[in-house]
Amino acid sequence: MSSFRTAKGGRIKRKDAISFSFEGKAYTGVKGDTLASALLANGVHFVGRSYKYHRPRGIMSAGQEESSALVGIDRGQGRYDTNTRATTQELFEGLKAQSQHCWPSLRWDIGEMNSLASPILSAGFYYKTFMWPKSFWKRVYEPIIRKSAGLGRAPRAVDPDVYASRYAHCDVLIVGGGPAGLAAALAASRSGAKVILADEQSEIGGALLSDPGSRIDDEESWSWLASAVVALAADENVTILNRTTAFGYYHQNFVGLVERLSDHLESPSSNLPRERLWRVRAKRIVLATGAIERPLVFAGNDRPGVMLAGAARTYLNRYGVRVGDKPVVVTSHDSAYLTAFDMAENGVGVEAIIDLCTDVSPELLKGAARLGIEVLPGHTITRTKGRLRISSIYAAPIEPDGSVGPERTIDCDALLMCGGWTPSVHLFSQSRGTLSWREDIGAYVPDVYAQNASSAGACDGHYLLSEALNGGAAAGQAAAIEAGYKAGKPNTYEVAEEATCSGTLIVELPTGANPARIKAFVDFQHDVTAKDIRLAVREGFHSIEHIKRYTTAGMATDQGKTSNLSELAIASKTLSRPIAEVGLTTFRPPYTPTSFGAFAGRSRGNLFDVTRKSPIDSWAEKRGAVFEPVSLWRRARYFPRDNEDMHAAVARECKATRSSIGISDASTLGKIEVVGPDSAEFLNRIYTNAWTKLGVGRCRYGLMLGEDGFIFDDGVVGRLALDRFHVTTTTGGAPRVMAHMEDYLQTEWPDLDLWLTSITEQWAVIALNGPNVRKLIEPFVEGIDLDKQAFPHMAIKEGKIYGVPTRLFRVSFTGELGFEINVPSRYGLTVWKRLIEEGARYDIVPYGTEALHVLRAEKGYIIVGQDTDGTQTPDDVGMAWAIGRNKHDFIGKRSLTRPDMLVSNRKQLVGLLTRDPKNLLEEGAQIVATAHPSPPAKMIGHVTSSYWSETLQHSIAMGVVEGGRARMGAELYVPMPDGVHQVQVVEPVFYDQEGGRLNV
Amino acid sequence: MTRFSFPALVRKAIGADKDWPEQWAKPDPKSDYDVIIVGAGGHGLGAAYYLAKEHGITNVAVVEKGWLGGGNTARNTAIIRSNYLYEESAALYDHALGLWEGLSQDINYNVMFSQRGVLMLAHTVHDVQIFKRHIHANRLNGVDNEWLSPEQAKAFCPPLNISSSARYPVLGATLQRRGGVARHDAVAWAYARAAAARGVDILENCAVTGISRARDGQVRGVETTRGFIGAKKIAVSAAAHSSVIMDMAGVRVPIECFPLQALVSEPIEPAFPCVVLSNTVHAYISQSDKGELVIGAGTEQYVSYSQGGPLHSIEHTVSAICEMFPIFTRLRMLRNWGGTVDVTPDRSPILGKTPVPGLYLNGGWGTGGFKATPGAGHLLAWTIARDEPHPINAPFTLERFRTGRLIDEAAAAAVAH
Amino acid sequence: MLLIRCPYCEQDRAEVEFSYAGEAHIERPVDPSAFSDAEWEAFLFLRSNPRGTHFERWVHIHGCARHFNAVRDTVSDKFLMTYKAGKPRPTKREIEGAKK
């Protein structure tokens, strides 16, 4: 057993020794230790370096508020945890911890030189220098600043762990498993309410875990705690979550919790998630989040060995560790006496209690006298000594006039300080509750609640055990009643011989030295001193938010848990304004730093977003298709054979389609069925086109605008019956179009009698294009006469193919004879395979989206989203013909007559041909009117689509050009990185202008 | 004003930093000013500075309801770039970028402008088309922007995941090398100090409650929580409060406010050398000089002034970051906050005159406000001083929503087909 | 995560089931062609954007798919009430009543 372990007591398992290492050196701890308690048991206080000055830092606290004892934990294989608080890391066999932010070693850190320069490294110094010469900023200063920045080591490998998440609903969520939370849980659960009790520590119990000496209802506190936990665990309506931090309090009692499942285990099973995010919606919330002890601000308050008094008591009582053999206590609050007494009773020679207050209660003085501890009331600490560990302090009396009397040295190996307690109101504040300042306890406490919640115990400013228990019980009972349960009178608890617990808010200790010359730390990690805060105020930073941002006080990894109130008090004094007027900075989630993994959960890799696949996708995959994502879908882009590149594959696919048959999967196109007597009228209002006169069995290309007059979507609409339309949309636009239609139907035209059904997933769509298509399918189609008169271009009919029901469209997006075979999705793959089989005799070729784009561009068909970009009107793309001239109104119509829609130089869609047929323009390339443009050059348009046309043996392009249609035949220029290309403006139809191939 | 310099730091340190002066004074309001600017963010303070410096107008007050620089200046992710698509936007943001490049020296305050490069990731064929269009347009506009292959992007930003099996694989990226980040709070302080030194009054804790107009319609001053203050000209530069303040003058503006969240990780050693933006997965990331990863999310869908947002958005943003940078999953989020962005129908700002004589508006910057700070201030000052817009902000009128002459960067990136 | 009451489903459901659909009670004119450019601009783009009580539309998109209206405080984000589409804008008194 190591030298600072007590002989008995604590909640550790002394017989279960655990080996671990820190800085490569082997140590032994025991089961139940944290890394911090195990290090302290081995006499190690000095564990880290501060951010700016690289001062030696020791362990300050025993909990999550730790700002100084940050280490890296290396579990191997991508499991490196940076900035881990030694005070919350549970010890496990083989744990490897490393110090951080020091080089070459923790003991000899070159960065400590910053400490020498500290007089000029005052708050905000970097805003005042590094500006000359200007060129040095980028080449010299900035690289140095960035190199010296940061804290923990950056991760280098991918984390193999998984993270889980779940939702939960409960009647009462209790945050904090200390005495108040336990009493609340007991009271609420008794009513039958569904309760979740969450506590961040490894064990439920909170402050009770450090307090074995109290007696609750004549029972030892640890025995009471054990029975309480047993009772709650036995109640099936109660969920107890330890190692679980409530990190965020959101709207309507929605709270985020993170449960740590494996960080404390030596070798977690591989299927155990590392953490689990709980999203809890509670009818009522009881906050029992406790309080955090405040440090004191004085010269030399930062040496290793200086720690919070309450933490020393926790190490002693919970972990069986003496943090020193001759500690000194300095305090402005009674609670530190308990630490001194408990240590003395465990045989530690407490050198002195330096009490900043003069009127110490007689009981405390009596207690000290009984244990032989010298009390120095009305004294201060003026400075301390010791480089890597505190070795002595200088105490001096505070004279009635506030000056400081003669100093006296006291040797020590630990200095235990207490500046009172700060209620943890973080979650309360996040819930948008408002705080009020209580002068009597020197703390902000919850005042007005914004949500269904209450607070109990120390977080509400009630520090006594009896207050926590009784307040908790009352809050638990009230919460259950508010959640709709009948709850009897809550228990009342009696606590024997309760010590007083009061203090005075003295943050900065009186000193004889010039306060402008001493380093008295407020933020221990960020090296912010009282002097820095005064400097900020002097420089005009009077808002507490300004002071925080200028000095960086409270912005360290503890987010000001131990420093905020000191900062506030010093600012208030410097500004000569009461604390309540100075106010607080906003509390933000998360309460404690929370891993990205917990937020990301399972939403990683392929689960990051769904991938929608058509019924034919598996065939394409087997066939070696290269896919591209189109909105949430993936679509086959091309089907390479052998070692073809995209260019070769696309050329082959296009050629096959134009010469015989190409087959492609169009299932991803959006499909909406519009049914009802007013369907045609509805479509009249939704589309620019007129629908009333469209015959049954006929199709029409429809253009849809937003109310702003710009093209919103397009697609073919077929009329199956007088009151039934089959609408198609773009692949990406389907959800948008459906929402748009529903919106107008439900809210603008509820009088129209029709309904809309999304049928995208119901129908697989196989597009067949090419001169031989009719020959291929004719033998297998039943009930539809495919003759060109009976079933002309832009027709639709229901029938059967291969015995399967089909809605057969005769449409074409390629300019060839085309059919789109809609079959119920479950038959899609079968029909596709049959067509491929039967098509072999015509050398049928599957083609992907890329060939489709080429084929349609050869015909000048636009793609909404590529040839349009949300700023084009129908006229801009040469589709004024799609506007039903006699229609009184349709969505977007009014916008088309706004002044800017009528100007002559609007960008219009045109075709572009390069002078050299082999020259391929880049999509997105800009179009200019001059051969030698120099920036900033006037751009009159851009290339929207550009392809090599195998059919035409010429590159083709479409683009939008200012006043484009009036420029037919004109020469324009397209500057590209390799030079300026000359192009001719042409009609945007390159192939079969007459449309003869469509109508065969 | 004490000049900031290394020798000054040393000199003051010898005197225990006792005689650093206030960076900006705390005057009481005068009864009248030539110009009142509503909103002491980077834009408003910048406008005050440029009014004094370039137009000789120093009888200026900047009124602020809270603490200066406490709105979106304090809440953004500090990204600066100018590789916008349309000539109008590129000119606007590149004007700002030009000013950023000399700002620290010009106002004698190191705003830590760091030109570490901004990468924008393309995840789909459509993204590639859009970004190539940007690059072509930028080149002809004289704005630097270049195309990187996935491998080149990874070389520039080593933590980037360029696996082709990712759900949204990286197909390439644009890089604007002149883009980067700056220390956002310092920009407001720097302008406040420089403006105050030239005689501008900065009136914090002074909320505007009304805009007073003379019988001829001309503005005559503002009602505030510190009393009536007269002014010949009033410029509203109040970000999320633009529409509320403009309503006081009887001018309705096409602006709506939406929540936007951001977060930082715990600080780590330098691990992320540049800025990365991904519109497709909605995440923006850089590393601050302090070592924190600074991450931005997408805007929420509903109107709100709450300066907060829901957990599920943060979950999405963080998973997007972990998707692009899988080595970061064990890092911890340190702080998450929200801001309110003022958005116009075409997502471009309004910067110019209003129908009310003597009233000017600078607002509707959406998520683009910080990067424009010096430019917006500079152009607003010009517009106020000359009562006519500078050619660069001339297209960004209030009238464009009536005529339809929109500058719609977002529509140009629309996804369909 | 907001909790939203769908007036059709008569249930409080999580925000992720809903889509926001802009300000409520902006009626599309029966004859837009009669509108001046300025009036049309107002219909298209001018919104009240208040700090405080906001009348707005939501769709229960992953539920009943119905559009409905809501009154929400834009500072606290708290929903004061929701009501079916087509119902008139609630009065101050009705909103106050719903708060209780």
Side-chain angles (χ1 to χ4, degrees):
Chain A
M1 183 93 9
S2 24
S3 56
F4 286 85
R5 193 72 74 178
T6 57
K8 59 178 173 51
R11 299 181 72 85
I12 47 170
K13 298 214 162 53
R14 289 165 186 271
K15 285 184 189 141
D16 294 345
I18 291 179
S19 315
F20 70 102
S21 71
F22 175 63
E23 290 291 273
K25 194 174 164 200
Y27 295 97
T28 307
V30 297
K31 193 155 194 223
D33 261 330
T34 61
L35 175 59
S37 70
L39 285 168
L40 290 169
N42 285 281
V44 178
H45 274 256
F46 168 42
V47 293
R49 291 278 177 174
S50 66
Y51 182 82
K52 189 159 76 170
Y53 301 149
H54 290 251
R55 292 165 301 113
R57 297 298 309 121
I59 296 162
M60 290 246 332
S61 75
Q64 47 70 27
E65 70 271 35
E66 180 65 33
S67 68
S68 298
L70 304 182
V71 297
I73 305 283
D74 191 357
R75 301 183 74 123
Q77 296 160 344
R79 294 185 174 93
Y80 183 85
D81 294 321
T82 202
N83 298 330
T84 301
R85 286 150 293 176
T87 51
T88 58
Q89 175 63 53
E90 293 173 55
L91 203 64
F92 56 82
E93 181 62 33
L95 181 148
K96 278 191 210 128
Q98 290 154 356
S99 64
Q100 49 185 39
H101 200 51
C102 52
W103 187 86
S105 74
L106 179 61
R107 206 176 173 82
W108 304 107
D109 177 15
I110 196 108
E112 198 170 347
M113 305 228 302
N114 284 0
S115 214
L116 300 175
S118 64
I120 57 166
L121 304 186
S122 52
F125 75 95
Y126 30 81
Y127 300 129
K128 298 173 178 167
T129 181
F130 305 129
M131 287 180 276
W132 295 272
K134 190 180 167 188
S135 63
F136 270 44
W137 167 247
K138 188 158 181 162
R139 285 188 286 124
V140 182
Y141 303 136
E142 197 196 346
I144 293 173
I145 293 174
R146 289 181 70 182
K147 200 154 186 286
S148 58
L151 206 58
R153 202 193 88 185
R156 287 161 202 177
V158 174
D159 174 10
D161 280 334
V162 295
Y163 298 80
S165 69
R166 59 165 296 176
Y167 287 88
H169 294 261
C170 65
D171 295 310
V172 183
L173 168 66
I174 297 160
V175 182
L182 281 168
L186 288 167
S189 66
R190 220 168 278 144
S191 72
K194 203 175 155 199
V195 173
I196 295 178
L197 172 64
D199 188 273
E200 64 188 357
Q201 299 205 51
S202 57
E203 237 189 304
I204 297 287
L208 286 178
L209 299 171
S210 309
D211 183 20
S214 289
R215 295 186 70 82
I216 303 168
D217 289 349
D218 258 345
E219 195 179 353
E220 281 182 9
S221 61
W222 283 5
S223 154
W224 182 89
L225 168 62
S227 353
V229 172
V230 166
L232 290 171
D235 186 336
E236 59 181 15
N237 285 322
V238 178
T239 306
I240 300 177
L241 298 171
N242 55 342
R243 296 191 182 92
T244 302
T245 303
F247 63 81
Y249 193 141
Y250 304 88
H251 298 109
Q252 285 128 315
N253 273 4
F254 188 71
V255 178
L257 315 176
V258 64
E259 181 183 12
R260 287 168 294 276
L261 298 164
S262 72
D263 275 1
H264 61 292
L265 300 175
E266 178 193 348
S267 44
S269 101
S270 60
N271 58 11
L272 181 68
R274 180 175 174 232
E275 294 175 353
R276 177 179 291 121
L277 176 71
W278 289 71
R279 307 179 191 92
V280 178
R281 181 85 67 176
K283 284 189 187 148
R284 187 85 192 168
I285 291 175
V286 177
L287 297 168
T289 47
I292 293 171
E293 196 170 12
R294 294 198 280 256
L296 292 165
V297 179
F298 53 95
N301 63 348
D302 63 321
R303 299 186 197 285
V306 181
M307 69 160 57
L308 294 167
R313 188 165 179 238
T314 297
Y315 287 118
L316 182 77
N317 291 334
R318 182 170 171 190
Y319 299 105
V321 173
R322 303 183 310 273
V323 299
D325 280 333
K326 41 176 190 173
V328 169
V329 173
V330 56
T331 185
S332 67
H333 196 270
D334 295 342
S335 65
Y337 282 81
L338 301 178
T339 302
F341 294 173
D342 284 358
M343 289 188 89
E345 273 165 5
N346 273 275
V348 175
V350 177
E351 296 289 320
I353 298 174
I354 296 163
D355 197 325
L356 292 150
C357 312
T358 41
D359 54 340
V360 182
S361 84
E363 295 101 88
L364 293 176
L365 287 175
K366 210 189 294 168
R370 183 173 59 82
L371 293 160
I373 305 171
E374 183 184 11
V375 177
L376 300 172
H379 274 61
T380 180
I381 291 187
T382 53
R383 55 200 167 113
T384 66
K385 279 197 166 168
R387 194 174 91 84
L388 300 181
R389 176 79 181 264
I390 193 162
S391 58
S392 62
I393 61 115
Y394 290 75
I398 307 166
E399 304 296 350
D401 65 352
S403 68
V404 169
E407 283 177 343
R408 159 189 161 190
T409 318
I410 304 174
D411 287 344
C412 64
D413 62 355
L415 176 59
L416 313 178
M417 59 182 167
C418 174
W421 297 80
T422 303
S424 290
V425 294
H426 305 71
L427 291 174
F428 170 79
S429 286
Q430 287 179 26
S431 80
R432 306 275 168 143
T434 52
L435 298 163
S436 63
W437 176 254
R438 255 181 72 185
E439 196 63 45
D440 59 330
I441 58 168
Y444 276 105
V445 292
D447 186 5
V448 181
Y449 285 81
Q451 303 202 30
N452 294 327
S454 59
S455 303
C459 71
D460 203 22
H462 303 296
Y463 300 138
L464 291 179
L465 178 55
S466 57
E467 292 174 330
L469 290 165
N470 291 317
Q477 182 229 18
I481 291 171
E482 295 233 7
Y485 292 82
K486 283 200 184 106
K489 231 178 118 197
N491 274 7
T492 51
Y493 298 96
E494 279 186 25
V495 176
E497 291 174 31
E498 206 160 11
T500 62
C501 195
S502 63
T504 309
L505 180 65
I506 300 175
V507 166
E508 206 179 353
L509 270 51
T511 172
N514 176 358
R517 295 283 181 196
I518 61 170
K519 275 194 250 174
F521 287 91
V522 171
D523 186 316
F524 291 85
Q525 182 185 114
H526 271 182
D527 307 85
V528 180
T529 61
K531 178 180 94 123
D532 286 321
I533 291 166
R534 281 191 284 271
L535 173 62
V537 171
R538 187 175 309 129
E539 290 197 81
F541 295 87
H542 293 185
S543 153
I544 195 71
E545 286 282 358
H546 278 155
I547 296 167
K548 170 181 111 173
R549 286 156 189 268
Y550 193 64
T551 62
T552 75
M555 296 179 83
T557 54
D558 69 321
Q559 289 290 287
K561 289 197 181 69
T562 53
S563 59
N564 270 354
L565 212 98
S566 308
E567 176 201 0
L568 180 56
I570 294 167
S572 143
K573 205 170 153 192
T574 315
L575 286 162
S576 310
R577 279 165 58 197
I579 285 183
E581 267 180 40
V582 176
L584 273 176
T585 57
T586 316
F587 291 93
R588 310 217 177 263
Y591 172 62
T592 52
T594 304
S595 80
F596 281 9
F599 290 100
R602 300 273 183 190
S603 177
R604 308 270 312 277
N606 283 333
L607 298 180
F608 175 67
D609 222 339
V610 293
T611 302
R612 296 178 77 181
K613 295 177 180 175
S614 89
I616 297 152
D617 182 274
S618 59
W619 185 91
E621 184 171 296
K622 233 176 275 164
R623 181 60 192 270
V626 174
F627 292 93
E628 67 161 324
V630 180
S631 64
L632 289 175
W633 294 92
R634 70 168 192 176
R635 298 192 71 180
R637 194 173 181 197
Y638 56 97
F639 295 85
R641 274 189 192 161
D642 308 321
N643 292 321
E644 276 180 335
D645 62 6
M646 184 170 85
H647 179 80
V650 170
R652 175 180 49 74
E653 290 170 16
C654 288
K655 206 167 153 188
T657 306
R658 293 255 182 256
S659 60
S660 182
I661 301 182
I663 182 169
S664 83
D665 178 6
S667 305
T668 63
L669 285 185
K671 297 175 274 295
I672 297 166
E673 196 153 307
V674 181
V675 184
D678 292 327
S679 296
E681 174 56 21
F682 178 70
L683 295 180
N684 281 341
R685 300 182 191 185
I686 290 284
Y687 285 93
T688 62
N689 321 63
W691 300 93
T692 315
K693 290 183 183 157
L694 182 71
V696 171
R698 301 290 299 173
C699 304
R700 181 169 288 163
Y701 170 81
L703 199 56
M704 197 182 288
L705 309 183
E707 201 70 275
D708 58 6
F710 298 127
I711 295 173
F712 177 76
D713 206 83
D714 69 347
V716 169
V717 178
R719 191 167 203 171
L720 291 163
L722 277 176
D723 63 351
R724 183 180 295 259
F725 291 83
H726 181 116
V727 167
T728 66
T729 73
T730 60
T731 296
R736 220 174 25 236
V737 171
M738 182 72 188
H740 175 76
M741 286 185 173
E742 277 288 355
D743 189 346
Y744 278 86
L745 177 60
Q746 289 183 31
T747 64
E748 296 293 348
W749 311 314
D751 51 314
L752 293 186
D753 187 5
L754 69 134
W755 60 94
L756 304 164
T757 312
S758 166
I759 51 167
T760 304
E761 311 259 359
Q762 273 61 46
W763 296 95
V765 185
I766 301 164
L768 288 164
N769 282 274
N772 290 324
V773 171
R774 189 185 285 114
K775 274 190 275 180
L776 167 63
I777 61 171
E778 209 153 22
F780 313 111
V781 173
E782 298 162 53
I784 306 170
D785 180 358
L786 295 188
D787 176 78
K788 77 170 177 184
Q789 260 77 42
F791 197 59
H793 181 53
M794 297 306 264
I796 178 175
K797 195 144 193 226
E798 290 174 286
K800 283 187 171 176
I801 183 164
Y802 298 120
V804 170
T806 182
R807 285 180 179 176
L808 186 65
F809 282 73
R810 188 173 161 195
V811 290
S812 171
F813 197 45
T814 63
E816 299 298 330
L817 171 65
F819 293 88
E820 284 187 3
I821 302 167
N822 286 247
V823 291
S825 289
R826 62 187 181 281
Y827 300 119
L829 186 57
T830 314
V831 173
W832 174 278
K833 283 179 174 167
R834 287 291 298 274
L835 289 166
I836 292 278
E837 240 168 72
E838 309 283 353
R841 81 183 77 152
Y842 301 106
D843 297 321
I844 192 168
V845 163
Y847 64 90
T849 51
E850 197 63 28
L852 174 70
H853 290 178
V854 178
L855 294 165
R856 65 88 202 176
E858 287 171 344
K859 285 291 292 179
Y861 298 146
I862 63 159
I863 291 181
V864 171
Q866 179 172 343
D867 300 298
T868 68
D869 65 5
T871 63
Q872 274 85 16
T873 65
D875 185 61
D876 293 345
V877 295
M879 286 200 195
W881 54 263
I883 297 177
R885 286 294 161 201
N886 300 324
K887 291 207 300 182
H888 157 71
D889 187 23
F890 55 82
I891 294 170
K893 183 170 197 251
R894 174 63 186 82
S895 286
L896 297 176
T897 55
R898 288 181 297 170
D900 199 57
M901 303 299 118
L902 304 172
V903 297
S904 59
N905 68 340
R906 285 193 63 81
K907 286 180 182 164
Q908 294 169 330
L909 188 78
V910 295
L912 300 166
L913 285 176
T914 51
R915 173 155 288 193
D916 175 353
K918 296 265 183 285
N919 246 334
L920 187 62
L921 300 173
E922 193 165 41
E923 285 168 355
Q926 298 292 314
I927 300 166
V928 297
T930 57
H932 305 288
S934 63
K938 167 73 186 155
M939 289 169 264
I940 60 172
H942 74 279
V943 177
T944 60
S945 293
S946 171
Y947 309 95
W948 170 251
S949 168
E950 188 70 10
T951 309
L952 302 167
Q953 288 295 303
H954 199 301
S955 71
I956 55 166
M958 294 198 281
V960 290
V961 174
E962 282 182 10
R965 285 201 293 276
R967 294 184 195 250
M968 282 302 150
E971 299 286 329
L972 294 175
Y973 302 89
V974 177
M976 300 223 297
D978 64 351
V980 178
H981 297 255
Q982 199 175 6
V983 295
Q984 190 182 24
V985 180
V986 297
E987 288 294 335
V989 185
F990 302 94
Y991 182 69
D992 187 29
Q993 270 96 343
E994 304 72 34
R997 301 181 69 87
L998 275 177
N999 296 311
V1000 290
Chain B
M1 184 174 96
T2 302
R3 212 177 146 67
F4 286 167
S5 67
F6 186 73
L9 265 181
V10 174
R11 245 185 354 258
K12 300 286 184 191
I14 293 166
D17 287 331
K18 281 233 144 174
D19 52 352
W20 279 111
E22 277 191 331
Q23 295 194 6
W24 60 89
K26 316 268 185 258
D28 285 324
K30 292 193 275 191
S31 62
D32 277 292
Y33 291 93
D34 290 337
V35 178
I36 285 180
I37 295 168
V38 181
H43 288 208
L45 292 164
Y49 167 70
Y50 293 113
L51 270 176
K53 182 191 173 211
E54 301 202 346
H55 305 280
I57 301 173
T58 57
N59 186 23
V60 175
V62 185
V63 298
E64 167 57 49
K65 86 178 168 78
W67 39 286
L68 71 82
N72 288 348
T73 306
R75 293 164 193 277
N76 65 87
T77 50
I79 297 168
I80 294 164
R81 64 183 179 90
S82 69
N83 51 351
Y84 281 71
L85 178 61
Y86 291 118
E87 286 156 82
E88 294 90 341
S89 323
L92 180 65
Y93 288 103
D94 211 49
H95 180 64
L97 183 48
L99 290 169
W100 276 116
E101 286 173 325
L103 190 61
S104 293
Q105 287 74 22
D106 180 36
I107 54 181
N108 180 231
Y109 206 113
N110 193 341
V111 298
M112 309 266 180
F113 176 48
S114 165
Q115 294 183 287
R116 55 186 70 178
V118 175
L119 270 185
M120 296 174 73
L121 303 179
H123 298 279
T124 66
V125 175
H126 185 255
D127 285 349
V128 173
Q129 288 166 342
I130 293 293
F131 285 168
K132 291 261 173 98
R133 185 176 162 198
H134 277 69
I135 285 179
H136 284 289
N138 291 152
R139 195 179 63 248
L140 289 171
N141 270 324
V143 174
D144 80 299
N145 197 16
E146 58 199 91
W147 179 254
L148 301 189
S149 69
E151 294 71 27
Q152 289 170 318
K154 174 134 182 105
F156 194 75
C157 181
L160 182 63
N161 174 23
I162 57 165
S163 159
S164 57
S165 61
R167 176 63 184 84
Y168 289 102
V170 175
L171 303 185
T174 63
L175 169 62
Q176 184 175 30
R177 292 183 192 272
R178 285 166 66 229
V181 291
R183 177 73 187 95
H184 53 100
D185 293 319
V187 176
W189 306 335
Y191 275 127
R193 171 169 166 270
R198 288 173 185 267
V200 170
D201 282 358
I202 295 164
L203 308 171
E204 292 177 88
N205 301 308
C206 180
V208 170
T209 53
I211 290 183
S212 170
R213 292 168 64 181
R215 226 172 257 157
D216 60 359
Q218 172 83 25
V219 298
R220 48 180 290 271
V222 292
E223 302 287 351
T224 76
T225 48
R226 292 171 75 175
F228 176 81
I229 312 175
K232 296 187 185 71
K233 294 178 175 180
I234 298 170
V236 176
S237 184
H241 297 90
S242 299
S243 71
V244 175
I245 309 263
M246 292 301 287
D247 275 347
M248 294 176 189
V251 181
R252 292 190 69 195
V253 292
I255 288 178
E256 284 191 289
C257 291
F258 300 98
L260 176 67
Q261 296 187 84
L263 61 104
V264 294
S265 74
E266 289 186 331
I268 52 169
E269 289 169 349
F272 202 83
C274 58
V275 180
V276 173
L277 315 181
S278 169
N279 287 324
T280 302
V281 300
H282 287 303
Y284 318 96
I285 175 170
S286 66
Q287 186 173 18
S288 72
D289 284 335
K290 232 169 84 187
E292 297 163 341
L293 294 178
V294 183
I295 293 167
T299 43
E300 301 305 327
Q301 48 176 349
Y302 49 84
V303 168
S304 173
Y305 292 83
S306 67
Q307 298 193 324
L311 174 60
H312 60 87
S313 301
I314 289 304
E315 290 177 33
H316 176 82
T317 298
V318 172
S319 58
I321 292 296
C322 293
E323 195 49 21
M324 289 189 288
F325 311 102
I327 62 170
F328 289 153
T329 49
R330 291 179 95 88
L331 289 185
R332 301 189 195 93
M333 182 194 297
L334 179 60
R335 186 168 66 248
N336 161 218
W337 67 94
T340 307
V341 292
D342 44 325
V343 180
T344 65
D346 65 359
R347 276 74 123 206
S348 288
I350 300 166
L351 206 181
K353 298 172 68 172
T354 71
V356 174
L359 182 68
Y360 307 86
L361 173 63
N362 168 51
W365 284 91
T367 57
F370 180 73
K371 63 177 75 72
T373 302
H378 189 255
L379 298 168
L380 180 58
W382 171 294
T383 307
I384 297 167
R386 307 199 179 199
D387 195 34
E388 66 177 29
H390 186 282
I392 292 177
N393 64 300
F396 295 88
T397 61
L398 199 48
E399 288 78 48
R400 70 179 189 272
F401 301 99
R402 180 170 50 74
T403 65
R405 193 172 187 77
L406 305 184
I407 306 163
D408 200 337
E409 293 277 332
V415 183
H417 79 273
Chain C
M1 173 112 60
L2 306 172
L3 197 59
I4 305 175
R5 184 161 192 84
C6 173
Y8 295 99
C9 299
E10 297 185 335
Q11 282 188 32
D12 294 321
R13 309 294 296 177
E15 177 190 343
V16 288
E17 290 186 12
F18 299 83
S19 277
Y20 177 74
E23 187 169 1
H25 302 294
I26 296 174
E27 229 172 290
R28 190 173 186 277
V30 179
D31 183 10
S33 66
F35 264 38
S36 69
D37 287 336
E39 286 167 328
W40 187 244
E41 178 203 7
F43 166 72
L44 277 184
F45 296 134
L46 295 183
R47 299 293 177 262
S48 58
N49 195 37
R51 250 183 91 81
T53 307
H54 191 230
F55 298 87
E56 60 193 25
R57 309 189 312 136
W58 288 81
V59 197
H60 195 183
I61 187 75
H62 299 297
C64 65
R66 303 287 293 269
H67 285 71
F68 60 90
N69 293 332
V71 189
R72 188 175 51 89
D73 185 309
T74 61
V75 178
S76 68
D77 285 341
K78 206 179 260 179
F79 279 85
L80 306 176
M81 63 184 291
T82 58
Y83 52 103
K84 291 177 179 174
K87 290 259 157 89
R89 187 190 291 262
T91 61
K92 257 193 187 146
R93 179 178 295 186
E94 285 169 320
I95 296 167
E96 284 301 316
K99 266 192 210 169
K100 285 162 200 160

